[in-house]
Amino acid sequence: MEKASFLLFSGIHLDRKRFAGDITRFKPKKDLEKPQEVEAESKESTEVTGSRKGKRKRKAKSSEIVEGFSVFRSSETVPSDGETNSMEADLSQQRKETEKQLEKDSILRKKYGIHISGHNIPSPLESFGELSSRYGCKSYLLCNLQERGFKEPTPIQRQAIPVLLSGRECFACAPTGSGKTLAFLCPILMKIKPGSKDGVKAVILCPTRELAAQTTRECKKLVKGRKFYIKLMTKELSRCGNFDKMPCDILISTPLRLDFAMRKRKLDLSRVEYLVLDESDKLFELGFVEQIDSVVKACANPSIIRSLFSATLPDTVEELARSIMHDAVRVIVGRKNSASELIKQKLIFAGSEKGKLLALRQSFAECLNPPVLVFVQSKERAKELYKELAFDDIKADVIHADLTQQQREDAVDNFRAGKTWVLIATDVIARGMDFKGINCVINYDFPESASAYIHRIGRSGRAGRTGEAITLYTEEDKPFLRNIANVMVASGCEVPSWMLALPKLKHKKHRPKRDTISTIPEDNAE
Ligand SMILES: Nc1ncnc2c1ncn2[C@@H]1O[C@H](COP(=O)(O)OP(=O)(O)OP(=O)(O)O)[C@@H](O)[C@H]1O
């Protein structure tokens, strides 16, 4: 008896025939389902067995966890000594391989600054080629990636793509310009069946029309050669679309237009398999939250895979989102809520509003290195600054919410084409917009928050290129410097120590009333 209990606990000389059932019941789970908490890493068992079904669908019998054991467990026959030994050898081999893979994953994640939390997280991609070897990616997509010049996956793509492909929900936070768009588009394109006429399969929500249009364009480039129905929710479509008849695989929209189409045009989202909230922290802000709520509810497919992407992900948003997501994996590249390290950031004291205009003119006179993006805090100020610069011979243009859709599109297109050197903008294009090779972002008006700062300056320094960001500040902005100074320090820039020592402010949003931008003497202003 004494011997029996000793043996049972040591587990070395266990009577394997007698306790075969117990071995199968306890051992595999313990060894292979490694629970992970923050920063813990493990390899997803489903990937080893090749299963790619949705998480809830994947929640199959526990006996399916490891093939060898499922056979063992469901069988009533007791294995012979020889069989048990060979199974043990197999198991130990499997364990060694899993450990080796975990170590490899961990090295790869460290190399690319990928931080994860959650359990059973699939290995990061070593190359785009693995999309085909591990997940059966069709060759057209790989060809299109190559054609776009994408040789290697970016860090967020290395981890978020396998997470979504393995049917897990995902929070992803990675620097501006680091390829998040492809990270959510690629799994959708690989998983949904294109060309079906039985309803929308994927919905991508973006906070602005410009970003929705850009994502649509990017998506269409990636499916070149395949018959995917990719639709941008335009104003007209949201008002007059006949969604019952219209084939649509992927629908890209702002929350307002999607909500409108659901209510007025009876758009059915019950078969949506993928829901992406791009710039998710913006979408969870007041003004969007009700529409997001109704979209999330309308996407009632129990196997839906939802994902949140942004360069900034405040804890409050994460908590809110976590309440609607199931067993989500969190993927952070670099430091959460930080600016891209490719951007050289500078703060310049301009004293007053007049000083800002002088500083801007002087900087353009000394060295104008287009394309340059200039941010102001309101559409009124955008118009005022444009009026000032329009005749300065610097090919300036302006974009803000008062323009028609066509005017907004033209402003973006001309800037992209190099016809405009300096684009004056409000925060309407601060997020997500991918302008190639912006050399400098100037925050003419101090940004209202640290996240607004990160997104604004993130229009430069994209896709591996370097960029510059200049932020002008006045006496009035001084109390708000601390937040921006902290972001700068976190991304390796130097700031005077007094800025970091400023008191923490309770109200983080800073949108003061500012003097009109004008060089016309006040007496002549009428
Ligand atoms: N694997 C890749 N290799 C090279 N370039 C890439 C790769 N993936 C994406 N890009 C390019 O990088 C640029 C930035 O990508 P994207 O717009 O997706 O960034 P983002 O992370 O969404 O930025 P933001 O936070 O500002 O929205 C784009 O021009 C895109 O074409």
Side-chain angles (χ1 to χ4, degrees), residues 88-114:
E88 259 185 7
D90 281 355
L91 233 181
S92 136
Q93 182 61 23
Q94 272 185 19
R95 219 176 290 141
K96 268 190 206 148
E97 275 167 22
T98 307
E99 270 161 23
K100 222 163 118 189
Q101 186 63 48
L102 286 178
E103 204 177 317
K104 212 169 139 197
D105 294 351
S106 175
I107 291 169
L108 206 60
R109 287 187 184 118
K110 202 164 174 199
K111 180 172 170 192
Y112 293 106
I114 302 168

Short mmCIF file of all heavy atoms in Angstrom, two decimals, residues 88-114:
data_model
loop_
_atom_site.label_atom_id
_atom_site.label_comp_id
_atom_site.label_asym_id
_atom_site.label_seq_id
_atom_site.Cartn_x
_atom_site.Cartn_y
_atom_site.Cartn_z
N GLU A 88 4.60 6.71 -24.66
CA GLU A 88 5.37 7.61 -23.79
C GLU A 88 6.49 8.28 -24.56
O GLU A 88 6.74 9.47 -24.42
CB GLU A 88 5.98 6.81 -22.65
CG GLU A 88 5.17 6.96 -21.39
CD GLU A 88 5.84 6.26 -20.24
OE1 GLU A 88 6.98 5.79 -20.40
OE2 GLU A 88 5.21 6.18 -19.20
N ALA A 89 7.12 7.49 -25.38
CA ALA A 89 8.22 8.04 -26.18
C ALA A 89 7.68 9.11 -27.12
O ALA A 89 8.27 10.19 -27.27
CB ALA A 89 8.89 6.92 -26.98
N ASP A 90 6.50 8.81 -27.73
CA ASP A 90 5.89 9.79 -28.63
C ASP A 90 5.59 11.09 -27.90
O ASP A 90 5.86 12.18 -28.38
CB ASP A 90 4.55 9.26 -29.18
CG ASP A 90 4.78 8.27 -30.29
OD1 ASP A 90 5.94 8.10 -30.68
OD2 ASP A 90 3.78 7.67 -30.75
N LEU A 91 5.02 10.86 -26.70
CA LEU A 91 4.63 12.03 -25.90
C LEU A 91 5.83 12.89 -25.56
O LEU A 91 5.81 14.11 -25.69
CB LEU A 91 4.01 11.54 -24.59
CG LEU A 91 2.65 12.08 -24.24
CD1 LEU A 91 2.20 11.52 -22.93
CD2 LEU A 91 2.59 13.58 -24.27
N SER A 92 6.88 12.21 -25.13
CA SER A 92 8.07 12.96 -24.74
C SER A 92 8.66 13.68 -25.95
O SER A 92 9.12 14.81 -25.85
CB SER A 92 9.03 11.99 -24.05
OG SER A 92 10.31 12.17 -24.48
N GLN A 93 8.59 13.02 -27.10
CA GLN A 93 9.07 13.65 -28.32
C GLN A 93 8.25 14.90 -28.65
O GLN A 93 8.79 15.96 -28.94
CB GLN A 93 8.98 12.62 -29.47
CG GLN A 93 9.47 13.09 -30.81
CD GLN A 93 10.96 13.49 -30.77
OE1 GLN A 93 11.72 13.04 -29.90
NE2 GLN A 93 11.36 14.37 -31.67
N GLN A 94 6.91 14.72 -28.51
CA GLN A 94 6.01 15.85 -28.79
C GLN A 94 6.31 17.02 -27.86
O GLN A 94 6.33 18.18 -28.26
CB GLN A 94 4.56 15.44 -28.56
CG GLN A 94 3.91 14.84 -29.78
CD GLN A 94 2.43 14.57 -29.54
OE1 GLN A 94 1.82 15.12 -28.62
NE2 GLN A 94 1.89 13.69 -30.34
N ARG A 95 6.53 16.66 -26.58
CA ARG A 95 6.79 17.69 -25.59
C ARG A 95 8.07 18.45 -25.93
O ARG A 95 8.13 19.66 -25.85
CB ARG A 95 6.91 17.03 -24.21
CG ARG A 95 6.25 17.87 -23.13
CD ARG A 95 6.29 17.16 -21.81
NE ARG A 95 5.41 16.01 -21.77
CZ ARG A 95 5.71 14.86 -21.17
NH1 ARG A 95 6.88 14.68 -20.60
NH2 ARG A 95 4.84 13.88 -21.15
N LYS A 96 9.07 17.70 -26.33
CA LYS A 96 10.36 18.33 -26.69
C LYS A 96 10.16 19.28 -27.87
O LYS A 96 10.67 20.39 -27.89
CB LYS A 96 11.37 17.24 -27.07
CG LYS A 96 12.20 16.80 -25.89
CD LYS A 96 13.34 15.93 -26.37
CE LYS A 96 13.75 15.01 -25.23
NZ LYS A 96 14.22 13.72 -25.68
N GLU A 97 9.38 18.81 -28.85
CA GLU A 97 9.16 19.64 -30.04
C GLU A 97 8.40 20.92 -29.68
O GLU A 97 8.71 22.00 -30.16
CB GLU A 97 8.39 18.87 -31.10
CG GLU A 97 9.33 18.03 -31.95
CD GLU A 97 8.61 17.00 -32.80
OE1 GLU A 97 7.41 17.18 -33.07
OE2 GLU A 97 9.26 16.00 -33.16
N THR A 98 7.39 20.74 -28.80
CA THR A 98 6.60 21.91 -28.37
C THR A 98 7.51 22.90 -27.66
O THR A 98 7.45 24.11 -27.93
CB THR A 98 5.46 21.48 -27.44
OG1 THR A 98 4.72 20.46 -28.08
CG2 THR A 98 4.56 22.63 -27.08
N GLU A 99 8.37 22.38 -26.77
CA GLU A 99 9.26 23.28 -26.03
C GLU A 99 10.22 24.01 -26.97
O GLU A 99 10.45 25.20 -26.84
CB GLU A 99 10.06 22.49 -24.99
CG GLU A 99 9.32 22.45 -23.66
CD GLU A 99 9.80 21.33 -22.77
OE1 GLU A 99 10.95 20.87 -22.95
OE2 GLU A 99 9.02 20.90 -21.90
N LYS A 100 10.71 23.27 -27.94
CA LYS A 100 11.64 23.86 -28.91
C LYS A 100 10.93 24.99 -29.69
O LYS A 100 11.48 26.06 -29.90
CB LYS A 100 12.09 22.78 -29.90
CG LYS A 100 13.57 22.84 -30.21
CD LYS A 100 14.03 21.57 -30.81
CE LYS A 100 14.56 21.79 -32.20
NZ LYS A 100 14.83 20.53 -32.90
N GLN A 101 9.68 24.69 -30.09
CA GLN A 101 8.91 25.68 -30.84
C GLN A 101 8.65 26.92 -29.98
O GLN A 101 8.75 28.05 -30.46
CB GLN A 101 7.58 25.05 -31.30
CG GLN A 101 6.77 25.94 -32.20
CD GLN A 101 7.46 26.28 -33.52
OE1 GLN A 101 7.97 25.40 -34.20
NE2 GLN A 101 7.52 27.56 -33.86
N LEU A 102 8.32 26.67 -28.70
CA LEU A 102 8.05 27.80 -27.80
C LEU A 102 9.26 28.71 -27.68
O LEU A 102 9.16 29.93 -27.67
CB LEU A 102 7.67 27.29 -26.40
CG LEU A 102 6.28 26.69 -26.25
CD1 LEU A 102 6.07 26.20 -24.83
CD2 LEU A 102 5.22 27.72 -26.60
N GLU A 103 10.41 28.07 -27.58
CA GLU A 103 11.65 28.83 -27.45
C GLU A 103 11.90 29.66 -28.72
O GLU A 103 12.22 30.84 -28.65
CB GLU A 103 12.80 27.85 -27.24
CG GLU A 103 13.99 28.48 -26.54
CD GLU A 103 15.06 27.44 -26.30
OE1 GLU A 103 14.71 26.31 -25.90
OE2 GLU A 103 16.21 27.75 -26.56
N LYS A 104 11.66 29.02 -29.86
CA LYS A 104 11.84 29.70 -31.14
C LYS A 104 10.88 30.90 -31.25
O LYS A 104 11.28 32.00 -31.66
CB LYS A 104 11.52 28.69 -32.26
CG LYS A 104 12.30 28.90 -33.51
CD LYS A 104 12.11 27.71 -34.43
CE LYS A 104 11.96 28.21 -35.84
NZ LYS A 104 11.40 27.24 -36.74
N ASP A 105 9.62 30.67 -30.86
CA ASP A 105 8.62 31.74 -30.91
C ASP A 105 9.05 32.91 -30.04
O ASP A 105 8.94 34.07 -30.42
CB ASP A 105 7.25 31.25 -30.37
CG ASP A 105 6.65 30.19 -31.25
OD1 ASP A 105 7.19 29.95 -32.35
OD2 ASP A 105 5.63 29.59 -30.83
N SER A 106 9.55 32.55 -28.86
CA SER A 106 9.92 33.57 -27.91
C SER A 106 11.08 34.42 -28.45
O SER A 106 11.08 35.65 -28.31
CB SER A 106 10.28 32.86 -26.61
OG SER A 106 10.75 33.74 -25.71
N ILE A 107 12.03 33.77 -29.09
CA ILE A 107 13.18 34.50 -29.66
C ILE A 107 12.70 35.44 -30.77
O ILE A 107 13.07 36.61 -30.84
CB ILE A 107 14.24 33.51 -30.20
CG1 ILE A 107 14.89 32.78 -29.03
CG2 ILE A 107 15.28 34.20 -31.07
CD1 ILE A 107 15.74 31.60 -29.41
N LEU A 108 11.81 34.91 -31.61
CA LEU A 108 11.28 35.72 -32.71
C LEU A 108 10.50 36.94 -32.18
O LEU A 108 10.65 38.06 -32.68
CB LEU A 108 10.36 34.85 -33.58
CG LEU A 108 10.19 35.25 -35.03
CD1 LEU A 108 11.52 35.23 -35.75
CD2 LEU A 108 9.22 34.32 -35.74
N ARG A 109 9.69 36.70 -31.16
CA ARG A 109 8.90 37.81 -30.60
C ARG A 109 9.83 38.87 -30.00
O ARG A 109 9.59 40.06 -30.16
CB ARG A 109 7.94 37.28 -29.53
CG ARG A 109 6.78 36.52 -30.15
CD ARG A 109 5.73 36.13 -29.12
NE ARG A 109 4.71 35.33 -29.73
CZ ARG A 109 4.42 34.07 -29.39
NH1 ARG A 109 5.09 33.48 -28.41
NH2 ARG A 109 3.48 33.41 -30.01
N LYS A 110 10.85 38.39 -29.32
CA LYS A 110 11.78 39.34 -28.71
C LYS A 110 12.46 40.17 -29.79
O LYS A 110 12.57 41.39 -29.67
CB LYS A 110 12.82 38.56 -27.90
CG LYS A 110 13.46 39.38 -26.85
CD LYS A 110 14.16 38.54 -25.84
CE LYS A 110 14.91 39.48 -24.90
NZ LYS A 110 15.94 38.82 -24.18
N LYS A 111 12.86 39.51 -30.85
CA LYS A 111 13.56 40.20 -31.94
C LYS A 111 12.71 41.32 -32.53
O LYS A 111 13.21 42.37 -32.88
CB LYS A 111 13.89 39.16 -33.03
CG LYS A 111 14.61 39.70 -34.22
CD LYS A 111 15.06 38.58 -35.14
CE LYS A 111 15.57 39.17 -36.44
NZ LYS A 111 15.74 38.15 -37.46
N TYR A 112 11.39 41.08 -32.62
CA TYR A 112 10.52 42.07 -33.26
C TYR A 112 9.71 42.91 -32.27
O TYR A 112 8.78 43.61 -32.68
CB TYR A 112 9.59 41.37 -34.26
CG TYR A 112 10.37 40.82 -35.43
CD1 TYR A 112 10.59 39.45 -35.55
CD2 TYR A 112 10.91 41.67 -36.38
CE1 TYR A 112 11.33 38.94 -36.60
CE2 TYR A 112 11.65 41.18 -37.43
CZ TYR A 112 11.86 39.81 -37.54
OH TYR A 112 12.61 39.33 -38.57
N GLY A 113 10.04 42.83 -31.00
CA GLY A 113 9.34 43.65 -30.00
C GLY A 113 7.87 43.31 -29.86
O GLY A 113 7.04 44.18 -29.62
N ILE A 114 7.54 42.03 -30.04
CA ILE A 114 6.13 41.62 -29.95
C ILE A 114 5.84 41.15 -28.53
O ILE A 114 6.53 40.27 -28.01
CB ILE A 114 5.84 40.47 -30.95
CG1 ILE A 114 6.18 40.90 -32.38
CG2 ILE A 114 4.39 39.99 -30.84
CD1 ILE A 114 6.19 39.76 -33.38
#
